[in-house]
């Protein structure tokens, strides 16, 4: 009787374990399926350079600033990822800033393309503005929800009653972003003077470019105006919020001082259509209203506008390749994602080759 009971219990245990095993396999299969749906395999963009690309990450603490997104009194810390040539040499420095709730690898193929062609590229992860940041110690910081809500509200239609609030938030965002980028750039340049290790020993501090996507592009443009050591800037579909210098009569006031650095303004054709619609909305109250990017273009020493047909906002990043489903939710166009980002990378490389390396011709079409 006791033996029979033990056998029965063993059979029950075996059955339970078998069921649990089946459930585990089902969950694993579902996880793999979900992963393949959200992050399917893809062909990476073509990298045209001949140099071998290496990467390295650092997390630096800015002792001059307290982190305002927490109440712990900790200093703000920035994680920076470098793409750089393995080969010895002296290469221009290019700094990248991601968009609102972007990530440090938002434009990894652009960074790799530049590095393979002889650049040291540094991508900044802006904590609480990025969707997430994982520092070199393994700590992960996620996007601040109030910031996320503010950005989404900022993407609505024109409303005079809320425009001032949007303007004030934009100024705060730019102050934080520019302080981040100033700190990172100063840290890099200091290490370039004193370090005998890669990637810092490879940097030619006399040739510096900035680029960014969306809010990161706006940040790059503002820093290019404020610093005197920047040689070229690229804005990948970012409204140039740093050009706002005031707010009057329900609308932002733009900086009238000519923009001093060569700036490339890359946009989807849809932005032109959206700005035409905005002009119609505000023409009765603000008849001379103009999109801030185009205003800067008319008051810049060297400005070029490049338009991409059938491209959505996220087509200027690698996200549509990494996660087509997620990118579609956030905004893409009908353009082939791989072809689009390869064209973007070609445009970025040509701009920096011309202004940082002295290439004789600027091989950039006005439309793609």
């Amino acid at each position: 009787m006791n033996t029979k009971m033990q056998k029965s219990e063993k059979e029950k245990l075996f059955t339970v374990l078998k069921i649990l095993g089946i459930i585990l396999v089902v969950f694993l299969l579902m996880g793999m399926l979900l992963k393949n749906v959200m992050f399917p395999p893809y062909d990476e963009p073509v990298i045209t350079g001949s140099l071998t690309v290496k990467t390295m990450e650092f997390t630096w603490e800015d002792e001059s600033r307290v982190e305002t997104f927490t109440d712990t009194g900790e200093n703000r810390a920035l994680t920076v990822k470098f793409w750089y040539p393995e080969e010895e040499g002296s290469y221009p420095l290019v700094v990248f800033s991601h968009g609102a709730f972007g990530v440090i690898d938002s434009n990894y193929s652009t960074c790799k393309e530049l590095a393979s062609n002889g650049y040291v590229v540094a991508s900044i992860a802006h904590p609480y503005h990025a969707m997430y940041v994982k520092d070199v110690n393994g700590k992960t910081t996620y996007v601040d929800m109030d910031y996320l809500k503010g950005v989404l509200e900022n993407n609505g239609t024109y409303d005079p009653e809320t425009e001032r609030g949007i303007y004030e938030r934009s100024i705060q965002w730019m102050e934080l972003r520019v302080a981040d980028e100033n700190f990172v750039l100063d840290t890099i340049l200091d290490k370039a003077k004193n370090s005998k290790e890669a990637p810092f020993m490879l940097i030619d501090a006399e040739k510096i470019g900035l680029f960014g996507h969306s809010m990161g592009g706006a940040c790059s443009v503002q820093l290019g105006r404020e610093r005197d050591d920047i040689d070229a800037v690229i804005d990948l579909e970012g409204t140039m919020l740093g050009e706002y210098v005031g707010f009057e009569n329900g609308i932002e006031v733009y900086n009238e001082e000519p923009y001093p650095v060569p700036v490339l303004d890359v946009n989807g054709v849809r932005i032109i259509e959206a700005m035409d619609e905005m002009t119609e909305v505000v023409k009765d109250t603000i008849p001379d209203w103009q999109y801030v990017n185009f205003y800067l273009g008319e008051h810049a020493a060297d400005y070029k506008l490049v338009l991409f047909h059938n491209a959505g906002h996220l087509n200027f990043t690698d996200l549509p390749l990494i996660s087509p489903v997620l990118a579609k939710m956030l905004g893409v166009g009908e353009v082939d994602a791989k072809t689009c980002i390869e064209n973007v990378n070609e445009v970025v490389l040509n701009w920096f080759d011309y202004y940082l390396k002295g290439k004789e011709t600027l091989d950039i079409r006005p439309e793609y």
Side-chain angles (χ1 to χ4, degrees):
M1 181 74 174
N2 190 32
T3 303
K4 289 183 178 180
M5 289 180 64
Q6 289 179 349
K7 184 177 180 181
S8 177
E9 291 298 325
K10 288 182 179 179
E11 289 176 347
K12 288 181 181 178
L13 179 60
F14 178 76
T15 302
V16 170
L17 290 175
K18 185 176 181 180
I19 293 172
L20 288 174
I22 293 173
I23 292 174
L24 178 60
V25 169
V26 170
F27 272 105
L28 287 173
L29 290 173
M30 288 177 63
M32 292 173 61
L33 178 61
L34 181 60
K35 181 180 179 180
N36 287 333
V37 170
M38 293 300 296
F39 303 98
Y42 64 94
D43 292 329
E44 293 198 9
V46 173
I47 302 302
T48 65
S50 61
L51 300 177
T52 303
V53 177
K54 300 187 72 175
T55 62
M56 192 173 293
E57 292 189 34
F58 301 86
T59 299
W60 296 323
E61 184 177 317
D62 186 350
E63 297 180 355
S64 68
R65 290 189 296 159
V66 174
E67 180 57 75
T68 58
F69 285 96
T70 68
D71 56 4
T72 62
E74 63 187 299
N75 291 327
R76 187 161 172 82
L78 283 303
T79 297
V80 185
K81 183 172 183 178
F82 287 85
W83 287 260
Y84 60 95
E86 182 179 44
E87 293 80 356
E88 293 185 2
S90 180
Y91 305 108
L93 171 66
V94 174
V95 179
F96 173 77
S97 175
H98 62 73
F101 36 95
V103 294
I104 202 168
D105 286 322
S106 285
N107 283 66
Y108 82 92
S109 72
T110 320
C111 298
K112 188 175 181 180
E113 170 71 349
L114 287 170
S116 75
N117 281 279
Y119 291 87
V120 174
V121 186
S123 175
I124 305 170
H126 300 275
Y128 301 100
H129 277 205
M131 184 58 71
Y132 68 90
V133 180
K134 186 175 183 179
D135 69 19
V136 296
N137 300 312
K139 176 186 175 182
T140 301
T141 302
Y142 295 97
V143 66
D144 179 77
M145 294 308 296
D146 288 335
Y147 166 74
L148 190 150
K149 292 176 183 177
V151 172
L152 294 178
E153 180 182 349
N154 211 43
N155 289 334
T157 56
Y158 173 76
D159 178 4
E161 295 182 2
T162 61
E163 201 70 18
R164 178 177 289 277
I166 293 173
Y167 161 76
E168 292 173 351
R169 287 197 299 272
S170 299
I171 296 301
Q172 292 177 357
W173 294 335
M174 287 299 98
E175 287 177 352
L176 179 72
R177 290 279 190 127
V178 170
D180 284 353
E181 197 158 355
N182 266 318
F183 166 71
V184 168
L185 187 49
D186 288 342
T187 301
I188 292 173
L189 293 178
D190 181 65
K191 291 181 178 295
K193 290 180 182 178
N194 303 307
S195 178
K196 301 300 181 181
E197 298 180 353
F200 308 107
M201 69 176 185
L202 304 173
I203 294 172
D204 181 354
E206 298 301 316
K207 298 176 181 178
I208 302 175
L210 306 175
F211 79 114
H213 173 248
S214 194
M215 195 173 293
C219 172
S220 300
V221 171
Q222 183 171 348
L223 198 69
R225 180 183 282 281
E226 295 182 1
R227 295 182 67 115
D228 60 6
D229 56 356
I230 307 302
D231 299 293
V233 176
I234 299 175
D235 179 2
L236 301 177
E237 201 164 80
T239 298
M240 299 175 182
L241 304 174
E243 290 298 296
Y244 299 160
V245 295
F247 189 89
E248 296 177 1
N249 302 319
I251 201 70
E252 296 86 1
V253 178
Y254 301 161
N255 194 334
E256 295 181 355
E257 291 293 322
Y259 193 79
V261 178
V263 56
L264 178 66
D265 188 12
V266 180
N267 293 285
V269 170
R270 294 179 179 183
I271 195 71
I272 304 295
E273 298 168 352
M275 292 308 107
D276 287 344
E277 292 176 4
M278 180 67 78
T279 301
E280 287 297 313
V281 170
V282 303
K283 67 179 182 180
D284 292 335
T285 54
I286 313 169
D288 58 348
W289 183 85
Q290 189 178 18
Y291 184 44
V292 63
N293 292 31
F294 303 156
Y295 180 89
L296 176 144
E298 292 183 357
H299 299 80
D302 190 346
Y303 169 90
K304 185 174 182 63
L305 173 66
V306 175
L307 297 175
F308 278 71
H309 289 268
N310 302 314
H313 192 56
L314 272 299
N315 284 117
F316 298 98
T317 73
D318 290 295
L319 185 62
L321 292 175
I322 299 170
S323 181
V325 174
L326 183 57
K328 188 173 183 179
M329 292 168 58
L330 296 173
V332 292
E334 297 78 25
V335 68
D336 178 75
K338 184 171 181 285
T339 300
C340 184
I341 195 63
E342 286 178 345
N343 284 334
V344 169
N345 295 348
E346 179 184 347
V347 167
V348 170
L349 176 62
N350 271 278
W351 186 261
F352 286 138
D353 274 353
Y354 186 77
Y355 286 101
L356 301 185
K357 291 188 174 182
K359 183 180 177 182
E360 292 184 1
T361 58
L362 186 61
D363 300 323
I364 297 177
R365 306 195 304 267
E367 296 186 21
Y368 287 81

